[in-house]
Amino acid sequence: MLDRPEIIKPEDHLDELLEFYGDREWRLDNLYYVQDESGTRMLYERRPAQKEYCENQWVLDVIAKARQLGFSTEIAIEICDFCVFQSNKSAGIIDYKLEDAKKKLAKIRFAYANLPDYLKDAVPLLKDNEDELRWANGSSVVVGTTHRGGTLQFLHWSEAGKTAAEKPELAVEIVSGALNTVAPGQIIKIESTAHGTAGIFYDIVERAKNKLKSGTPLTVMDYKLHFYGWMYRPDYRVQRSHVNITHEVVKYFADLRKDYGIEIDGDQMAWYQSKLILLGWDKMKEEFPSVLDECFYNSLEGAFFKQELSRARKEKRIGFPVPYDETRRVHTCWDKGMNEKSDRNCIWWFQHDGVRFRWIDYYENGGENIAHYARVVEEKRIERKFIYGTHYGPHDLRQRDWGSTSPTPKTLEDIALSVGIKFKVIDRVDLKEISIEAARRAINTSYFCSEYTDRGVSGLDNYRKTWSKITQQWTNVPFHDWASNPADALQCGAMGLQPDKVDREPRRETVARRKGSHWSS
């Protein structure tokens, strides 16, 4: 370990200090102080997750993670080091709430304030307020809920998943504005717990995951994916002999070992079992995921179908191919978006055997008339050799016109019939909870084809309740966004389905029927 210089002469310059402290890895583990959970000042030492991340980081990083792994502290220390030991650098922090961004700035301020005096004298602060720190070497860091104007060399976007899910317009602004202020080759770190399988954060993660799978080298325009599960916390362990570990938990970790090569010891398993008792499976996978897929699929607060889809994944009814049964008819169910410019028109293709749903295809588009969707239905019939049964349509087919130019307005139902789609129109329900409950029952007996229905399933994952700012709780009113359309289309099918009749053999009478009751003499 390097020793700190005891005496710095007045004529010494920052360049000489930089030469002494030139090892960034040493600086990150030996130079900065932070406050722990109790507020106690302590020397910052990177945990296993931070150490592994630093060894594998790239210029553009996207980090999906479990909670309480300390990444906000790690990145705050990196920004402090970046600004103090380099001149004329600009850094920025974006967070879901301005107060949270200010807390991260406070971590940087604390780390700087606890540097040796000779370093602070060499690089003094010129500006220090709740929104900005600016040093004499020309470097600075600012915070906010977005950023426009001014070129950044280091940007940290925290809670990107929450922003993308709950403030999608702001997330788009951050991508178009803040991310574009960082020149190629400079640093961006996007980190978050997950909030649903849609939105900008999820899209960035998916692109990074696909790039990783391709095995091709990263360019300065590509994000590198990092995932850190709960097992990266070394203190997440309980003495194995003190906990009764259930067969379900043992099987869960056996599957993780088989499918992902994840190995844990008995004390870690005991910790997981203890935490599971408090949180339950859904919340556990949301807060403390073991693998990346758990991080997303169990994360969206207020999701209507969260429990049903979680159970379907556990029972392997999602994520696997579902073959088309040529002996049964294929039905469709539709939804027409309320806003014709921004909403999506959605179609599910499914089969039903009297008990189970098999969702075997899905399509969505916008800005097209009914003839376009009729062509899609016909193309699917030819391509996949479907034999159609019933086309279930929403109630507004009796009211709206998808682009008809007829001088005498026709209902959409009539227009659809003229291009070959005979709908069974499902009446509007007085209470939305009725159709949502029908969809829940349907999902509980459903299999979703991984090859054809991923986008539709993503919509079901992200179909959520509206948050009331007044009562500070979830309402029963669906939040209207893109996910409403695939969810409403499935509800249409669940409400309208008349199950296929199951052929039964005629009853055989082996003895003559006795008249009257068995109790009669």
Side-chain angles (χ1 to χ4, degrees):
M1 180 182 295
L2 294 173
D3 293 325
R4 295 176 180 173
E6 297 297 330
I7 301 174
I8 298 297
K9 299 177 182 179
E11 61 269 21
D12 284 341
H13 298 291
L14 179 60
D15 290 343
E16 295 172 352
L17 293 174
L18 284 174
E19 183 178 352
F20 185 84
Y21 289 111
D23 186 346
R24 176 178 178 270
E25 292 299 300
W26 180 87
R27 295 197 307 266
L28 293 179
D29 278 331
N30 296 275
L31 190 59
Y32 297 101
Y33 284 85
V34 296
Q35 290 178 298
D36 64 12
E37 289 84 352
S38 65
T40 303
R41 175 181 178 271
M42 60 179 292
L43 183 67
Y44 178 66
E45 292 186 59
R46 290 171 290 176
R47 294 171 177 169
Q50 284 80 35
K51 200 77 172 177
E52 181 176 318
Y53 168 67
C54 287
E55 292 171 357
N56 294 282
Q57 62 187 316
W58 180 240
V59 288
L60 304 182
D61 288 324
V62 56
I63 307 167
K65 59 186 179 60
R67 295 188 186 278
Q68 299 176 342
L69 293 184
F71 273 95
S72 62
T73 299
E74 164 64 27
I75 297 173
I77 296 298
E78 288 192 29
I79 292 176
C80 183
D81 187 85
F82 181 80
C83 291
V84 170
F85 284 89
Q86 297 190 63
S87 299
N88 302 312
K89 299 296 184 181
S90 297
I93 299 173
I94 294 173
D95 212 323
Y96 179 76
K97 294 180 180 179
L98 182 58
E99 306 86 73
D100 295 331
K102 290 178 179 179
K103 290 177 182 177
K104 291 176 175 60
L105 188 67
K107 292 176 183 285
I108 298 172
R109 181 183 294 109
F110 186 89
Y112 172 80
N114 285 273
L115 286 174
D117 288 340
Y118 51 78
L119 282 180
K120 290 186 291 183
D121 291 342
V123 192
L125 267 176
L126 299 183
K127 187 174 184 180
D128 181 0
N129 58 44
E130 290 186 336
D131 303 312
E132 181 180 6
L133 297 176
R134 183 176 297 277
W135 287 270
N137 65 354
S139 294
S140 63
V141 55
V142 296
V143 301
T145 55
T146 187
H147 177 83
R148 278 192 177 275
T151 301
L152 298 176
Q153 289 79 47
F154 193 130
L155 174 62
H156 174 205
W157 183 9
S158 184
E159 286 299 334
K162 187 175 181 63
T163 302
E166 299 184 10
K167 301 177 181 178
E169 297 85 1
L170 181 58
V172 170
E173 180 183 332
I174 291 170
V175 170
S176 63
L179 298 191
N180 281 335
T181 67
V182 181
Q186 303 304 310
I187 300 170
I188 297 178
K189 298 181 187 293
I190 302 175
E191 57 85 18
S192 184
T193 51
H195 291 263
T197 57
I200 286 172
F201 178 68
Y202 178 75
D203 292 342
I204 294 174
V205 168
E206 283 296 293
R207 286 196 296 271
K209 183 167 68 172
N210 292 334
K211 183 69 176 181
L212 183 64
K213 286 181 179 179
S214 73
T216 56
L218 294 171
T219 73
V220 293
M221 302 295 288
D222 294 318
Y223 281 89
K224 184 174 183 178
L225 176 61
H226 306 265
F227 169 74
Y228 298 96
W230 63 270
M231 63 282 295
Y232 277 89
R233 276 286 294 260
D235 57 336
Y236 282 173
R237 53 200 316 114
V238 172
Q239 191 170 339
R240 167 67 181 87
S241 60
H242 294 177
V243 178
N244 179 30
I245 300 177
T246 65
H247 173 74
E248 187 178 23
V249 169
V250 171
K251 183 179 184 304
Y252 168 73
F253 284 107
D255 289 342
L256 285 180
R257 183 170 58 252
K258 180 181 68 174
D259 296 338
Y260 299 95
I262 294 175
E263 298 279 355
I264 65 164
D265 60 37
D267 289 353
Q268 288 175 301
M269 191 181 298
W271 176 90
Y272 193 93
Q273 176 73 71
S274 301
K275 206 72 174 177
L276 177 65
I277 294 172
L278 296 174
L279 298 180
W281 279 108
D282 283 347
K283 199 69 177 175
M284 191 67 187
K285 291 181 179 180
E286 172 190 328
E287 300 279 351
F288 302 102
S290 300
V291 295
L292 183 64
D293 285 347
E294 290 181 358
C295 185
F296 282 97
Y297 288 131
N298 298 276
S299 59
L300 190 62
E301 288 291 339
F304 278 105
F305 304 133
K306 184 174 181 178
Q307 292 183 1
E308 290 75 20
L309 293 169
S310 176
R311 186 181 304 115
R313 288 188 170 91
K314 182 179 178 182
E315 296 173 357
K316 301 187 184 305
R317 293 184 281 112
I318 294 177
F320 299 89
V322 176
Y324 159 50
D325 183 352
E326 296 181 355
T327 68
R328 295 190 180 277
R329 293 186 178 275
V330 176
H331 312 291
T332 66
C333 50
W334 302 50
D335 180 67
K336 170 68 176 72
M338 294 299 293
N339 185 323
E340 296 191 10
K341 291 183 178 180
S342 60
D343 279 0
R344 312 291 283 175
N345 306 305
C346 304
I347 310 172
W348 288 92
W349 283 257
F350 70 95
Q351 295 180 293
H352 196 271
D353 63 7
V355 177
R356 294 163 296 187
F357 286 86
R358 298 153 61 92
W359 302 93
I360 57 175
D361 218 323
Y362 175 82
Y363 178 80
E364 67 176 44
N365 208 331
E368 301 287 352
N369 59 25
I370 187 65
H372 168 83
Y373 300 100
R375 286 195 298 272
V376 171
V377 169
E378 179 62 12
E379 289 167 2
K380 293 285 186 184
R381 184 191 68 79
I382 296 171
E383 176 190 349
R384 303 197 61 190
K385 298 180 173 56
F386 288 162
I387 300 173
Y388 283 125
T390 304
H391 300 291
Y392 298 97
H395 64 92
D396 49 11
L397 287 176
R398 298 189 177 120
Q399 303 171 0
R400 297 178 181 271
D401 185 337
W402 289 356
S404 172
T405 57
S406 172
T408 304
K410 294 182 180 180
T411 66
L412 295 174
E413 183 180 10
D414 291 335
I415 297 171
L417 185 60
S418 70
V419 293
I421 302 291
K422 182 180 181 180
F423 277 111
K424 178 178 180 180
V425 177
I426 307 305
D427 292 334
R428 183 189 183 105
V429 295
D430 293 331
L431 294 174
K432 189 67 174 178
E433 292 93 327
I434 296 174
S435 62
I436 290 173
E437 186 58 34
R440 283 175 171 148
R441 291 196 300 269
I443 292 170
N444 280 334
T445 58
S446 288
Y447 292 76
F448 294 88
C449 181
S450 58
E451 186 176 356
Y452 292 99
T453 68
D454 272 357
R455 173 65 176 178
V457 172
S458 181
L460 301 180
D461 276 316
N462 288 276
Y463 183 56
R464 65 189 190 276
K465 304 172 183 178
T466 299
W467 177 259
S468 171
K469 294 182 179 179
I470 298 175
T471 63
Q472 292 295 297
Q473 61 185 2
W474 298 105
T475 71
N476 288 325
V477 178
F479 180 78
H480 185 71
D481 62 2
W482 74 272
S484 305
N485 303 126
D488 285 347
L490 188 138
Q491 291 173 53
C492 178
M495 289 293 293
L497 175 72
Q498 295 295 324
D500 296 342
K501 292 183 179 180
V502 179
D503 295 332
R504 298 178 182 274
E505 293 185 5
R507 181 173 178 175
R508 297 178 181 177
E509 298 286 355
T510 55
V511 295
R513 273 190 168 181
R514 179 185 298 176
K515 295 182 179 180
S517 167
H518 282 283
W519 293 99
S520 59
S521 56

